[in-house]
C-alpha cells in the first residue's frame, strides 16, 4: 500500500511526500555523511551526518522548486495542477490536462531545467560567500550547486517524458502540426534512453557499484511513462470528433438495489448481454452499475454483496448532452474518478457512457488501424 503525506501548500498547490521518499532521503544522507563530507577532514563525526541530512533536504527543496516552475507556467496557461509529489525518483507535478499548443508545452517544459540552472548558479555564489565563514555550509552549498546543474542537464535529455523530451515533442508538433506523431517520436527516443540507462546500470552493478540499481529503476519508470503517454495521446486522437451519442449505451434495464451481485450476473448480465443497469430502490433511481463495478468485487463475495453496495450514486454523476466531446468525457472520468456519465437530453436520460465503452471504442479502432 502506498502512502503519501501532505506537507504544505504553495501557490495553491498541495505538496505531498510519498513514503518512498524516505528511502532516498536516508540513502542520500548516508552517501553524503559517509563519503562526500568526510573528504573535508577534521570535523566531528556527527557533523558529517548532520550536514548530510541538511543537504539531502535541500536537494529535495531544489527538486520542489523545479516542479513549482513547471506548475506555475501550467497555471498561467489555465491548466489545473492537482499536486506536487516528492518520491524516490525526485518530484512530479500532476497537471490535469495535456498542453493545448506546442508553444505552451515548450515553455512549460523548459522552465524546469532553467530553474535548476538558476538555483545552481545562485547556490554556487552562496557557497563562495559561505566558505570563509563556515566550511561545512560552504561544502553543502557547493554540492547543491553541482546537483542542480546535473539535474538540469539530466532533465534536458531529449526523451519523453523528461523535460527535454517534451521540448523535442513541442518542436516536432510545431513543425508537423501533429501531436500524435510528435509524441510517438519523442516517446521512442525516451524509450531509447531507458534502454541505454538499463545498459549503463547493469555495467555499474557488474563493476560492484550498486547505484546501478537506481539507474535501472529510473529507466523502468521512464519507459512505462513514455509508453503510457503515447497511448493516451493516441486515444485522444481516436476520440477526436467523437460525441457522447456515439459512445453511449442506449439500452439499459432497471434492477432493484437489494439483489445480490451473483443474481445480477446470472439473471441479467449473462442472460440479457447488457452491461449497464439503473438501480432502483423504493421507486426512485439510486444510481448506476456497470460491468466494471462488478469486476472489482471478488467472486467469493458475489453472494453476500448487494448491488446497492457497488453502485455509483446518481448525485455523484455529472450528466452531459449528447453532443459532448468524447475527449472531455474521458478527462471528466480521469479527474473525477467516475466510471459512468449519464447522457441527458433536457430532463430525459437517453444513454450512459461507461468507461469500458470508451476503451472498447478506442481498442476497436486501434486494432483496425482507423
Ligand atoms: Zn522537469
Amino acid at each position: 500500500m502506498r502512502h503519501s503525506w501532505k506537507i504544505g501548500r504553495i501557490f495553491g498547490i498541495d505538496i505531498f511526500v510519498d513514503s518512498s521518499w524516505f528511502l532516498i532521503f536516508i540513502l542520500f544522507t548516508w552517501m553524503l555523511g559517509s563519503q562526500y563530507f568526510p573528504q573535508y577532514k577534521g570535523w566531528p563525526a556527527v557533523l558529517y551526518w548532520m550536514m548530510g541530512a541538511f543537504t539531502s533536504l535541500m536537494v529535495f527543496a531544489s527538486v520542489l522548486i523545479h516542479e513549482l516552475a513547471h506548475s506555475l507556467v501550467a497555471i498561467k496557461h489555465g491548466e489545473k495542477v492537482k499536486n506536487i509529489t516528492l518520491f524516490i525518483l525526485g518530484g512530479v507535478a500532476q497537471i490535469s490536462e495535456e498542453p493545448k499548443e506546442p508553444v505552451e508545452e515548450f515553455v512549460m517544459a523548459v522552465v524546469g531545467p532553467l530553474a535548476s540552472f538558476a538555483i545552481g548558479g545562485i547556490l554556487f555564489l552562496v557557497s563562495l560567500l559561505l566558505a570563509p565563514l563556515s566550511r561545512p555550509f560552504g561544502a553543502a552549498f557547493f554540492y547543491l550547486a553541482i546537483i542542480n546543474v546535473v539535474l538540469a542537464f539530466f532533465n534536458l535529455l531529449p526523451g519523453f517524458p523528461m523535460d527535454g523530451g517534451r521540448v523535442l515533442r513541442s518542436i516536432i508538433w510545431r513543425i508537423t502540426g501533429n501531436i500524435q506523431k510528435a509524441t510517438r517520436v519523442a516517446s521512442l527516443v525516451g524509450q531509447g534512453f531507458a534502454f541505454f540507462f538499463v545498459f549503463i546500470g547493469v555495467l555499474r552493478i557488474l563493476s560492484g557499484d550498486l547505484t546501478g540499481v537506481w539507474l535501472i529503476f529510473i529507466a523502468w519508470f521512464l519507459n512505462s511513462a513514455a509508453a503510457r503517454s503515447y497511448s493516451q495521446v493516441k486515444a485522444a486522437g481516436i476520440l477526436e470528433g467523437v460525441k457522447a451519442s456515439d459512445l453511449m449505451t442506449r439500452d439499459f434495464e432497471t434492477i432493484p438495489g437489494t439483489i445480490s451481485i451473483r443474481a445480477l450476473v446470472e439473471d441479467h448480465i449473462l442472460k440479457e448481454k447488457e452491461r449497464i443497469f439503473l438501480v432502483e430502490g423504493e421507486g426512485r433511481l439510486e444510481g448506476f452499475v456497470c460491468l466494471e463495478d462488478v469486476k472489482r468485487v471478488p467472486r467469493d463475495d458475489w453472494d453476500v454483496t448487494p448491488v446497492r453496495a457497488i453502485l455509483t450514486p446518481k448525485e455523484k454523476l455529472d450528466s452531459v448532452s449528447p453532443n459532448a466531446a468524447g475527449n472531455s468525457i474521458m478527462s471528466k472520468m480521469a479527474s473525477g474518478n467516475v466510471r459512468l456519465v449519464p447522457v441527458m437530453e433536457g430532463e430525459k436520460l437517453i444513454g450512459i457512457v461507461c468507461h469500458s465503452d470508451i476503451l472498447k471504442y478506442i481498442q476497436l479502432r486501434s486494432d483496425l488501424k482507423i
Side-chain angles (χ1 to χ4, degrees):
M1 182 78 196
R2 283 174 83 85
H3 283 286
S4 55
W5 292 272
K6 187 174 156 181
I7 54 164
R9 198 174 156 87
I10 307 175
F11 301 117
I13 305 164
D14 289 332
I15 314 293
F16 287 90
V17 167
D18 182 83
S19 51
S20 67
W21 178 83
F22 292 95
L23 187 64
I24 195 69
F25 172 72
I26 291 166
L27 273 173
F28 247 95
T29 303
W30 172 75
M31 197 191 75
L32 289 163
S34 69
Q35 287 166 36
Y36 174 72
F37 284 110
Q39 295 177 78
Y40 301 87
K41 303 267 185 281
W43 303 357
V46 66
L47 188 58
Y48 293 128
W49 294 99
M50 279 171 59
M51 291 314 292
F54 167 77
T55 309
S56 304
L57 281 179
M58 292 297 283
V59 167
F60 283 90
S62 308
V63 170
L64 185 58
I65 297 175
H66 174 114
E67 294 304 327
L68 276 173
H70 288 308
S71 306
L72 290 181
V73 174
I75 290 172
K76 201 168 151 261
H77 281 90
E79 313 284 350
K80 275 203 188 73
V81 180
K82 280 193 249 169
N83 60 62
I84 293 176
T85 303
L86 296 175
F87 72 122
I88 190 162
L89 300 177
V92 63
Q94 298 252 315
I95 295 165
S96 59
E97 274 178 48
E98 289 280 317
K100 289 171 203 71
E101 48 179 315
V103 180
E104 177 188 339
E105 163 133 83
F106 181 89
V107 178
M108 212 157 106
V110 96
V111 289
L114 285 184
S116 295
F117 275 127
I119 304 167
I122 292 167
L123 294 186
F124 180 67
L125 292 178
V126 171
S127 79
L128 290 182
L129 288 173
L130 281 179
L133 305 172
S134 156
R135 287 281 307 277
F137 280 104
F141 281 99
F142 179 71
Y143 181 86
L144 288 166
I146 303 286
I147 273 282
N148 272 285
V149 173
V150 170
L151 195 69
F153 275 115
F154 180 80
N155 274 291
L156 279 176
L157 292 176
F160 198 81
M162 285 180 285
D163 297 334
R166 291 185 176 275
V167 169
L168 175 66
R169 174 167 89 157
S170 70
I171 293 169
I172 301 174
W173 182 8
R174 179 69 198 262
I175 293 170
T176 63
N178 185 335
I179 185 178
Q180 281 188 66
K181 195 186 271 176
T183 309
R184 178 155 179 76
V185 174
S187 313
L188 281 175
V189 178
Q191 288 176 309
F193 274 109
F195 283 114
F196 177 67
F197 292 155
V198 169
F199 178 69
I200 301 288
V202 170
L203 284 185
R204 278 200 176 178
I205 293 169
L206 290 178
S207 69
D209 177 359
L210 286 179
T211 56
V213 175
W214 199 55
L215 208 53
I216 291 174
F217 201 33
I218 291 181
W220 167 77
F221 176 76
L222 285 178
N223 184 54
S224 49
R228 194 172 52 239
S229 310
Y230 177 57
S231 63
Q232 268 168 12
V233 172
K234 199 168 130 191
I238 290 174
L239 288 180
E240 184 100 48
V242 174
K243 292 180 293 186
S245 54
D246 304 320
L247 295 165
M248 70 188 187
T249 304
R250 290 156 202 274
D251 303 316
F252 28 77
E253 201 188 332
T254 305
I255 54 168
T258 46
I259 66 168
S260 69
I261 296 181
R262 183 167 308 280
L264 169 66
V265 171
E266 286 175 0
D267 301 340
H268 301 274
I269 296 179
L270 293 177
K271 271 194 197 136
E272 285 140 37
K273 309 227 166 25
E274 282 178 16
R275 305 166 63 93
I276 299 180
F277 297 87
L278 306 191
V279 183
E280 228 178 38
E282 283 133 31
R284 59 174 204 98
L285 178 65
E286 287 185 11
F288 306 85
V289 164
C290 69
L291 198 56
E292 277 175 67
D293 298 318
V294 171
K295 283 198 267 183
R296 288 152 65 95
V297 180
R299 288 181 70 108
D300 289 343
D301 297 340
W302 282 8
D303 282 316
V304 291
T305 313
V307 166
R308 181 171 283 151
I310 58 164
L311 61 75
T312 309
K314 73 169 198 285
E315 293 76 22
K316 230 190 116 187
L317 298 173
D318 272 343
S319 62
V320 296
S321 82
N323 288 323
N327 270 319
S328 74
I329 297 177
M330 191 75 169
S331 53
K332 196 193 266 285
M333 285 179 176
S335 61
N337 236 337
V338 289
R339 292 181 301 283
L340 287 165
V341 172
V343 183
M344 310 278 285
E345 198 156 47
E347 289 291 288
K348 193 166 165 263
L349 179 73
I350 59 162
I352 297 170
V353 180
C354 193
H355 189 235
S356 60
D357 293 332
I358 303 186
L359 296 184
K360 220 168 56 189
Y361 187 94
I362 292 168
Q363 185 68 47
L364 195 63
R365 271 146 193 85
S366 160
D367 286 349
L368 297 170
K369 305 221 182 322
I370 296 172

